[in-house]
Amino acid sequence: MSCCQDLLKLGTQTSTMQTKASPFCMQACSLHCVLHGLAWCSATPSNCRRRDNKDCGPLPHAAVDLGLDMIECQMMARCQKGDEDLIRWHKQEEPIIPHPPENMKLTGFRDPYIIQQGHGQQKWKMLLGSGIEGQGGTLLVYETTHLSSGWQYKGSFIKGKSKLFGKHDLGAMWECPFLVPLKEPSNAHPAPEAPSGSVGALQLKEGQLYMMCVSPYPHFLKDRLTNPCLYWLGHVQQELFMIEESDGPHLLDLGDVLYAPNCFQDAKGRNIMLGWLQELRKGGGFDYAGCISLPRVLTYKDGRLHQEVAPELRDLCQELSWSASDLQVSGSQSVAVQHVKGPSWFAEFTVKRGDASASGLLLRSWLHEEPDQAHPCAAALLVNWQDSLLEVVFPCKLDKKNMTFDAGCDMKRIGGPAHLEQQVTVQVYVDHSAVEVFLSSGEALATRVYRGAVISQEDCGIYFTSHGGATHVEDVQVHSMGSIWTKASDQPAKAFEPAQGKGL
């Protein structure tokens, strides 16, 4: 288990969960919510209580049997008293919710998320991801007065029917839901850190603006290898989310790898979101499967969701590798960045549109001697001024003399709408193949760029690029980044970087 006190430095510790043999002993489970030393685990399709495993007891009766390969129920574990590091756990032997509601023809029943804490006359409330056959994804609400027992189904959390996402439906099942209150960021004075355990209790409030986020399943955007995540901004009335009156659905991330995010409130009252950055490559003998995104702070600004990297990440910046106060990037000649060391780096710059239709950073790849659409030779992280998009494009042909490419050619493109004016500040974080881009207008994009080993620091394969005209770039700073691991021995699997011409 990895432990972190400051969103920045990680150490590893061995965690334990004590349990006794029972029909609900699972070979694996998914942990979805931790609150006040209690963990909610959902028996999900990850080799948990398989239908064909006779050791897991009899099948549920017909009214609550969803007919899935995995029999889903909700479990709970309690942290050992006094264990502030949340290392030693005791699993409750019986499920807190053993089966879904009867006769609802649900497509799933997993991923609990607490939206209200019980105290006084106020009950505990929990969301569960689900869907209804023929109707699409939904969220179920359960409530109780006693946290470890007595959970009762209260109905759907959704009031009304959502708009479609473009021409697409919203998936048959909504996984990994979360609901958080949004507020304007405080720029003048950051909130002081609250004493341990003193953060205010969760409570549903009418008039409060909420962000509701889900991960639709199965995959419904056919041009992407991974599932997109959607969110709505709206209000709760009579303890129901008014989805017809909400703003949405919108893409949470404009890239193609972020999935199953979760969000919590830290001691400063900030909404901190973390997600899973999936792999896109196939094959290879890897002992890891994806990684966790950078922590994002979610706020409401200029009438929309605003995402930015937690400022603590700046403390990982090491020496300044390269800088420029004023660059003019033409449409016919890219400008090289030099002296960037290692596979992890951070770049920040302000780009002004000028005459360009698109501009940004080009990342060259050395993986394939003969690139094609399936194996591109580069990735361009672009502010698309013409179409108001933040996107990444993967060209398969480069003019290696000028390090330019034809932006109009047929190539893979991933991205989405951005609120662009005549200039925007861009932050790019690269950690081996994981790439995350953030705009000062609040949009974010995560993707994978498999570049292979950098040949030299003099040509580290990073270029400022412009298309359709010249771009003006100011206040450029590029830093190498240090490790999040407090000890070298804590670091898990070593990232795999193929040699030149040895692509997957």
Side-chain angles (χ1 to χ4, degrees):
M1 182 179 76
S2 298
C3 303
C4 180
Q5 299 291 333
D6 58 2
L7 294 180
L8 192 61
K9 289 293 184 178
L10 287 179
T12 58
Q13 294 181 338
T14 301
S15 62
T16 62
M17 182 176 290
Q18 296 182 7
T19 183
K20 298 178 181 178
S22 80
F24 300 100
C25 281
M26 297 164 288
Q27 294 171 304
C29 68
S30 296
L31 176 63
H32 291 281
C33 189
V34 177
L35 187 68
H36 284 189
L38 298 161
W40 283 263
C41 298
S42 176
T44 64
S46 35
N47 203 25
C48 312
R49 205 183 175 211
R50 292 182 56 89
R51 175 175 292 275
D52 58 5
N53 187 343
K54 296 180 180 180
D55 294 335
C56 288
L59 296 177
H61 62 86
V64 296
D65 189 350
L66 304 186
L68 304 175
D69 290 339
M70 305 294 175
I71 299 172
E72 299 178 330
C73 63
Q74 312 310 314
M75 307 292 293
M76 191 181 80
R78 189 182 298 271
C79 189
Q80 184 171 306
K81 187 176 182 179
D83 181 8
E84 295 184 359
D85 291 327
L86 306 181
I87 296 174
R88 292 171 291 277
W89 295 84
H90 300 273
K91 182 172 76 72
Q92 189 165 301
E93 301 308 324
E94 297 295 322
I96 58 172
I97 307 177
H99 51 69
E102 295 185 359
N103 301 314
M104 286 191 62
K105 296 184 178 180
L106 300 178
T107 56
F109 182 67
R110 53 186 177 268
D111 303 345
Y113 188 86
I114 295 295
I115 59 172
Q116 181 167 283
Q117 293 173 245
H119 62 86
Q121 299 299 311
Q122 180 173 293
K123 294 184 178 182
W124 291 87
K125 290 188 180 293
M126 175 196 296
L127 294 183
L128 275 171
S130 190
I132 301 175
E133 289 183 14
Q135 298 183 36
T138 191
L139 301 180
L140 310 180
V141 178
Y142 280 77
E143 68 177 23
T144 186
T145 54
H146 302 286
L147 187 57
S148 59
S149 63
W151 287 93
Q152 299 293 319
Y153 172 61
K154 302 304 293 182
S156 174
F157 182 61
I158 307 301
K159 176 69 172 179
K161 188 175 182 179
S162 173
K163 297 182 286 291
L164 298 180
F165 180 68
K167 297 180 180 180
H168 304 280
D169 62 31
L170 304 179
M173 159 76 192
W174 286 355
E175 293 188 312
C176 304
F178 70 78
L179 181 84
V180 293
L182 287 183
K183 58 184 180 181
E184 294 275 358
S186 176
N187 297 321
H189 301 286
E193 184 164 334
S196 176
S198 66
V199 175
L202 293 171
Q203 181 181 5
L204 290 178
K205 296 180 180 179
E206 294 194 8
Q208 168 69 56
L209 179 66
Y210 286 95
M211 171 191 176
M212 185 184 77
C213 182
V214 300
S215 297
Y217 181 87
H219 192 318
F220 69 90
L221 287 184
K222 303 307 179 186
D223 63 335
R224 297 174 188 242
L225 297 178
T226 56
N227 306 51
C229 302
L230 301 177
Y231 75 89
W232 294 256
L233 302 180
H235 296 85
V236 172
Q237 292 183 14
Q238 297 180 344
E239 300 184 336
L240 300 174
F241 186 78
M242 312 301 289
I243 201 165
E244 285 186 353
E245 303 168 9
S246 68
D247 178 14
H250 302 289
L251 281 176
L252 175 66
D253 184 274
L254 304 183
D256 57 347
V257 296
L258 187 139
Y259 190 68
N262 210 329
C263 192
F264 65 92
Q265 191 175 84
D266 72 356
K268 297 178 181 179
R270 301 178 300 178
N271 291 320
I272 305 295
M273 190 194 82
L274 297 164
W276 172 30
L277 301 187
Q278 301 178 77
E279 294 285 350
L280 294 182
R281 58 188 168 190
K282 298 179 180 179
F286 313 120
D287 53 0
Y288 55 92
C291 62
I292 300 299
S293 71
L294 298 175
R296 302 183 184 182
V297 181
L298 307 181
T299 57
Y300 184 71
K301 186 177 180 182
D302 298 326
R304 60 182 183 270
L305 176 69
H306 194 278
Q307 303 180 65
E308 62 180 340
V309 176
E312 289 89 338
L313 266 292
R314 288 299 191 95
D315 292 341
L316 289 178
C317 288
Q318 296 182 329
E319 70 270 14
L320 181 64
S321 301
W322 194 80
S323 65
S325 59
D326 193 350
L327 288 177
Q328 191 76 10
V329 184
S330 73
S332 59
Q333 177 73 58
S334 295
V335 176
V337 174
Q338 297 179 341
H339 310 302
V340 177
K341 301 177 182 178
S344 304
W345 51 270
F346 160 72
E348 183 176 38
F349 52 91
T350 297
V351 58
K352 296 183 177 181
R353 175 173 184 174
D355 299 324
S357 58
S359 49
L361 275 185
L362 177 69
L363 308 182
R364 183 181 177 184
S365 172
W366 293 273
L367 275 181
H368 300 278
E369 295 173 348
E370 298 182 3
D372 54 29
Q373 284 191 345
H375 307 96
C377 58
L381 315 174
L382 296 178
V383 176
N384 184 329
W385 305 101
Q386 180 173 290
D387 299 319
S388 295
L389 300 172
L390 170 62
E391 61 179 354
V392 54
V393 300
F394 295 87
C396 52
K397 292 182 179 180
L398 280 179
D399 175 348
K400 294 183 180 180
K401 178 180 179 181
N402 299 309
M403 292 311 299
T404 58
F405 64 95
D406 181 2
C409 69
D410 186 20
M411 55 189 166
K412 177 184 173 182
R413 311 178 80 99
I414 294 293
H419 295 81
L420 302 177
E421 296 183 356
Q422 291 302 306
Q423 70 176 50
V424 66
T425 298
V426 184
Q427 294 182 342
V428 178
Y429 290 83
V430 174
D431 186 10
H432 293 267
S433 65
V435 177
E436 295 186 65
V437 184
F438 298 85
L439 300 185
S440 56
S441 50
E443 294 81 13
L445 181 154
T447 190
R448 292 280 184 172
V449 179
Y450 301 105
R451 305 176 64 207
V454 175
I455 294 177
S456 74
Q457 292 181 23
E458 297 304 317
D459 181 12
C460 52
I462 307 170
Y463 309 87
F464 282 98
T465 187
S466 184
H467 297 270
T471 292
H472 194 64
V473 184
E474 296 179 343
D475 303 324
V476 181
Q477 290 197 347
V478 184
H479 294 262
S480 58
M481 298 288 285
S483 174
I484 61 174
W485 299 100
T486 54
K487 297 185 296 184
S489 58
D490 285 336
Q491 185 164 342
K494 183 179 180 180
F496 177 77
E497 295 291 350
Q500 180 183 9
K502 303 295 183 181
L504 303 179

